[in-house]
Amino acid sequence: MNKASVKDESCEHSSLLLTAGKPFPLGANLTEDGVNFSIFSAHATKVVLCLFDSQNHIEVAQYILDQKTHHIWHGELIGAKAGLLYGYRVFGPYQPELGHRFNHHKLLLDPYAKKLVGELHQNKALYAYDVDDELGDLSFSTTDNAAFIPKCEVVDVEQIKSIPIKPINRDLSKSIIYETHVKGFTKLHPDLAPNVKGTFAALANPAVVQYLSQLGVTALELLPVHAFFDEPFLAEKNLNNYWGYNSVGFFALQPHYLSSDDIGEFRSMVSTLHQAGIEVILDVVYNHTAEGNQLGPSYHFRGIDNLSYYRLMPNEPRFYINDTGCGNTLNINHPQVLMLVMDSLRYWVEVMGVDGFRFDLASCLGRETYGFDPASGFFDALMQDPILCQVKLIAEPWDIGPGGYQLGNYPVVFSEWNDKYRDAMRRFWRGDSAMLSEFAKRFHGSSDLFEHNGRGPSASINFITSHDGFSLHDLVTYKQKHNEANGEDNRDGHSENFSCHYGVEGETLDESINQIRNRQKRNFIATLMLSQGVPMLLSGDEAGHSQHGNNNAYCQDNPNSWFNWRKIDWQLVKFTRELISLRKQYPLLCHKAFIHKPEALFDNGIAWFNRLGEPMTKALWSEHLCKTLSVIVTGNLLEDEVGAVPENTQALLIFINADSIEQAFNLPKLPHFAHWSCVIHSQTHSAISPSDSAVQAEQKFYLQPRSLMIFHSHFQGVEHV
């Protein structure tokens, strides 16, 4: 844009009329006459709305919001329209020792901004203090940062909401979650246009939707899609925050995930996925922001009202409470910050159409000043909200703060990532001793963790792997982490992964080792799909994806992390598809209530046996060196019918050999389940047994080392006494 046109646009913006406006709703919202701007700050002395031209992002007008209602500064800009670019300059004391870090030289993002335009450019001007001053954050910077930070854009929300979405309303107990990354899943897809790869539009592409539909997953759990910035220390190493756990906006989409300028692309993606029967769950980060600790940059909250938005050290408010390990902790105990989070959640449900949320480091959200509380203000707000109490709510039930590990202690509306399931299954299949009882508890749905407050097995989100840690292929290929590419001398990431390489660290041409590794991958996927609870499959695990031993790939935005569509283990994909199909076919694998009947005549039951077909006893459970089990799960095939119907009662029998040697198994003798057919086994890539004929009760089965077999039977009559 030339100077004349800049001047013209400047005149246009400066001629807009600012009126009193209203405090609610917060943010920038279209009205009949213009745009209402509203922002909270309890300790500011003045708030200035700054407008920018649409092309060069040069500041062209300023308006003082001189109306304040209950610490909310507001004004309506008559004549303003959607597409207007803006930001804020907030005046107030710069007194870090007292918790105040106002600096009007810094343009700040609107916490309620629904769209960010432009790139962040790492620069010293982004800091409220002079980074070269020996006083550090006690110094004060007078350098303007507007040229280095994105601008907020006014959005027409009603236009986005006009995109139709067909509701699904699937019970969580029937869900099969697929955790994936917007960019990583589609960046290398060969059938997508370059400008579409790695975007929301790519996830809605027919080729991608077809893959997901044929695999059988019912929900995508997307790593963070809220706008986020790279940490300065990563930029110095020419790396970036790939995962996205560094939020700067709770309403705005990450701009790089858009193929166009239209944020309605996200709702269109949800609409397309819903048509295929696939729900969308967002991984959300309301525990900290990208501003870091006292030495971090100033993007929004720090300069708007640091003392209100963040939890500060009680006796030294210059410093931040760091229960997240990311430098700061959002002060969700403050009613206005709580409102911000609740408004954000409702926006993603009502405007963008998502079906649920996975809360990162959720213990932060439930921590009051005295510690974690299942009856915290945030949890109470969620449970009473008529919109949010109906969506899927999943907690990552830990953080690094005091008393942060809270698995099993969340309110009844929550499900939780079950790391005890993850560790138990890894250790059991690795061949660790004394794991029979722990394996059974986790396979059963972890009633010891979740039943006490009335929750069922769906409270347990079962997973073997997630984005954080080894991929499934690496879990059976590496004993040690290999995070050298992260630039931290391999110090980052978990050191205890309960993994095993079976003889060689990393890839090998040794066929015997590769056979064991392939069996183990099938064992893990089968166990995940057969367990009570909700299975979560990490994207790429079904295809043999490797991160080359990196178990903390948060900054690896490259082919090491991206799904490789040209190198897929299609046999493993087929095996995974068969297991998912089996889970959907038999409701007994996803009971809504915990099963406590050792053997059901017509209805839900679960019974455990040793490999000889004998019922498990206390002594058998205590055999530390035993690594074999059998289990029978029964249930009514037509689960929606009231009452037990014998002819609809089905049973699945699973032989499990986690030993390093071949083991013989006998069929348990049950009066109403005598004829069994093998449906799936993990001993070869062939998922379905070549022979589907019924087997005899006295027949022995020899299972290879580290393998399992699954049999099916149906109810065969009642013996009258």
Side-chain angles (χ1 to χ4, degrees):
M1 179 179 290
N2 57 42
K3 292 184 178 179
S5 58
V6 170
K7 183 178 179 181
D8 291 342
E9 191 166 353
S10 175
C11 293
E12 178 184 341
H13 285 148
S14 61
S15 65
L16 297 174
L17 176 65
L18 183 69
T19 62
K22 298 178 180 180
F24 295 103
L26 285 154
N29 296 278
L30 291 175
T31 66
E32 290 185 1
D33 301 317
V35 178
N36 192 82
F37 293 89
S38 176
I39 183 172
F40 163 80
S41 180
H43 300 96
T45 57
K46 183 169 69 171
V47 175
V48 177
L49 171 67
C50 305
L51 305 185
F52 292 81
D53 80 84
S54 59
Q55 294 190 30
N56 290 333
H57 297 187
I58 296 174
E59 191 168 353
V60 293
Q62 291 186 347
Y63 294 86
I64 297 174
L65 299 184
D66 54 6
Q67 299 295 313
K68 185 170 70 167
T69 304
H70 306 312
H71 301 310
I72 296 175
W73 306 72
H74 53 89
E76 183 177 358
L77 203 56
I78 305 301
K81 300 177 181 179
L84 181 68
L85 300 187
Y86 71 99
Y88 289 105
R89 297 185 186 275
V90 182
F91 291 70
Y94 188 83
Q95 298 171 320
E97 302 97 325
L98 301 180
H100 298 305
R101 296 180 180 271
F102 294 98
N103 187 334
H104 61 276
H105 298 285
K106 309 302 172 182
L107 183 75
L108 302 172
L109 302 174
D110 180 1
Y112 277 77
K114 297 175 178 65
K115 183 179 180 182
L116 300 185
V117 178
E119 298 289 333
L120 177 77
H121 301 283
Q122 296 293 339
N123 191 278
K124 295 178 181 179
L126 295 170
Y127 296 78
Y129 65 94
D130 185 346
V131 296
D132 295 321
D133 195 305
E134 61 182 12
L135 292 177
D137 65 302
L138 297 179
S139 64
F140 186 77
S141 170
T142 59
T143 306
D144 192 278
N145 72 330
F148 307 103
I149 193 168
K151 312 305 181 290
C152 307
E153 181 177 317
V154 177
V155 169
D156 185 349
V157 170
E158 293 304 317
Q159 184 177 3
I160 298 172
K161 290 171 66 176
S162 66
I163 300 170
I165 293 180
K166 176 184 177 182
I168 293 179
N169 299 321
R170 179 183 294 109
D171 191 272
L172 183 60
S173 65
K174 304 301 181 188
S175 295
I176 297 160
I177 299 173
Y178 190 76
E179 190 196 26
T180 194
H181 187 283
V182 173
K183 179 179 181 179
F185 187 54
T186 62
K187 183 63 176 177
L188 297 179
H189 199 293
D191 298 333
L192 303 182
N195 68 306
V196 172
K197 292 181 178 182
T199 68
F200 301 118
L203 286 178
N205 183 274
V208 175
V209 175
Q210 181 182 37
Y211 176 86
L212 295 169
S213 298
Q214 290 180 350
L215 185 62
V217 298
T218 68
L220 293 190
E221 184 174 303
L222 300 179
L223 267 67
V225 301
H226 290 173
F228 60 87
F229 290 160
D230 297 331
E231 295 89 335
F233 79 90
L234 286 178
E236 292 174 2
K237 295 187 289 186
N238 293 318
L239 296 171
N240 61 284
N241 191 318
Y242 171 63
W243 287 349
Y245 293 93
N246 209 33
S247 298
V248 292
F250 297 148
F251 295 79
L253 289 163
Q254 175 63 3
H256 299 148
Y257 295 164
L258 290 166
S259 67
S260 66
D261 193 46
D262 181 10
I263 64 173
E265 180 179 318
F266 182 92
R267 185 173 170 101
S268 293
M269 174 201 72
V270 175
S271 177
T272 299
L273 289 170
H274 270 220
Q275 291 175 33
I278 300 172
E279 296 179 302
V280 177
I281 299 170
L282 296 188
D283 195 333
V284 288
V285 186
Y286 296 115
N287 55 75
H288 76 282
T289 76
E291 291 188 306
N293 62 17
Q294 73 278 3
L295 298 178
S298 186
Y299 298 136
H300 45 35
F301 297 145
R302 175 168 284 143
I304 294 172
D305 191 350
N306 186 65
L307 194 60
S308 295
Y309 281 103
Y310 290 117
R311 296 186 64 205
L312 307 179
M313 299 297 291
N315 299 322
E316 291 185 285
R318 174 187 175 187
F319 302 104
Y320 295 78
I321 292 174
N322 187 20
D323 291 339
T324 65
C326 300
N328 62 55
T329 304
L330 202 66
N331 185 19
I332 201 168
N333 305 117
H334 191 291
Q336 205 67 50
V337 181
L338 176 60
M339 179 185 290
L340 169 70
V341 173
M342 296 297 291
D343 287 347
S344 168
L345 291 169
R346 280 191 293 269
Y347 172 80
W348 289 102
V349 173
E350 296 184 299
V351 177
M352 290 300 191
V354 304
D355 304 281
F357 304 94
R358 180 266 190 188
F359 295 92
D360 180 65
L361 300 182
S363 292
C364 281
L365 308 180
R367 185 177 281 108
E368 301 287 350
T369 55
Y370 49 83
F372 179 85
D373 188 348
S376 70
F378 174 66
F379 293 154
D380 285 348
L382 272 180
M383 294 175 70
Q384 65 78 41
D385 189 283
I387 301 298
L388 299 178
C389 71
Q390 299 184 61
V391 303
K392 295 173 172 63
L393 303 174
I394 301 170
E396 181 184 36
W398 52 77
D399 64 19
I400 67 168
Y405 187 76
Q406 293 293 333
L407 178 65
N409 292 332
Y410 279 73
V412 66
V413 297
F414 274 90
S415 295
E416 303 174 36
W417 271 27
N418 190 346
D419 64 322
K420 288 191 174 181
Y421 177 95
R422 174 198 67 196
D423 293 349
M425 298 314 178
R426 289 184 178 194
R427 294 186 61 200
F428 176 80
W429 281 112
R430 187 173 67 171
D432 290 11
S433 299
M435 289 300 299
L436 292 184
S437 178
E438 184 69 7
F439 174 91
K441 284 191 291 187
R442 303 305 151 222
F443 186 93
H444 175 253
S446 298
S447 62
D448 58 321
L449 298 174
F450 302 113
E451 194 172 22
H452 64 90
N453 63 350
R455 288 186 285 176
S458 62
S460 178
I461 304 298
N462 298 331
F463 63 104
I464 304 296
T465 61
S466 68
H467 70 274
D468 187 4
F470 279 145
S471 68
L472 181 61
H473 178 85
D474 291 356
L475 184 66
V476 300
T477 306
Y478 297 91
K479 189 175 182 180
Q480 306 294 335
K481 62 182 180 180
H482 296 273
N483 299 350
E484 291 81 6
N486 295 354
E488 299 181 43
D489 297 323
N490 206 33
R491 294 189 303 269
D492 61 308
H494 301 293
S495 295
E496 180 50 82
N497 300 281
F498 304 119
S499 61
C500 185
H501 56 44
Y502 305 100
V504 175
E505 183 76 355
E507 302 297 336
T508 180
L509 296 177
D510 189 315
E511 187 58 31
S512 61
I513 293 177
N514 286 330
Q515 287 179 0
I516 295 173
R517 291 175 177 178
N518 288 331
R519 282 204 305 276
Q520 288 289 64
K521 283 189 276 188
R522 294 191 291 271
N523 290 333
F524 280 125
I525 292 173
T527 303
L528 181 65
M529 295 302 164
L530 295 170
S531 298
Q532 300 294 310
V534 181
M536 184 185 78
L537 181 68
L538 174 63
S539 175
D541 278 358
E542 81 283 3
H545 174 72
S546 174
Q547 295 176 167
H548 308 292
N550 193 321
N551 75 347
N552 189 33
Y554 77 103
C555 57
Q556 297 301 311
D557 188 3
N558 53 54
N560 285 340
S561 295
W562 303 339
F563 190 106
N564 190 342
W565 291 88
R566 297 189 183 277
K567 189 180 179 181
I568 292 178
D569 183 346
W570 287 108
Q571 291 178 313
L572 187 58
V573 170
K574 181 177 184 295
F575 182 82
T576 306
R577 186 187 304 145
E578 299 286 358
L579 263 300
I580 292 175
S581 177
L582 180 77
R583 184 174 180 87
K584 291 180 176 179
Q585 183 179 354
Y586 296 107
L588 55 92
L589 292 175
C590 39
H591 286 303
K592 290 186 177 181
F594 285 107
I595 310 167
H596 293 300
K597 303 173 184 178
E599 180 186 335
L601 188 59
F602 309 139
D603 210 350
N604 305 341
I606 186 167
W608 295 91
F609 305 86
N610 67 4
R611 65 182 181 85
L612 301 178
E614 302 166 339
M616 291 293 288
T617 63
K618 185 175 182 180
L620 290 173
W621 284 117
S622 300
E623 289 187 1
H624 285 199
L625 298 180
C626 182
K627 300 171 184 177
T628 59
L629 267 175
S630 299
V631 58
I632 291 179
V633 185
T634 59
N636 194 326
L637 191 62
L638 303 179
E639 60 171 347
D640 294 331
E641 290 189 359
V642 178
V645 182
E647 57 268 28
N648 289 329
T649 302
Q650 309 283 316
L652 291 176
L653 164 64
I654 309 164
F655 289 156
I656 303 166
N657 179 22
D659 211 333
S660 59
I661 61 174
E662 184 179 74
Q663 294 284 8
F665 284 73
N666 292 337
L667 288 168
K669 295 182 180 179
L670 297 177
H672 305 296
F673 299 100
H675 304 290
W676 298 92
S677 300
C678 179
V679 290
I680 298 178
H681 62 82
S682 68
Q683 298 186 97
T684 66
H685 267 112
S686 176
I688 304 299
S689 175
S691 173
D692 194 36
S693 58
V695 298
Q696 301 300 316
E698 65 275 6
Q699 186 173 344
K700 282 186 179 293
F701 292 86
Y702 293 89
L703 268 66
Q704 294 177 5
R706 301 184 177 92
S707 64
L708 57 77
M709 297 184 73
I710 308 167
F711 299 83
H712 168 260
S713 183
H714 56 85
F715 187 81
Q716 290 152 8
V718 180
E719 294 182 0
H720 297 281
V721 179

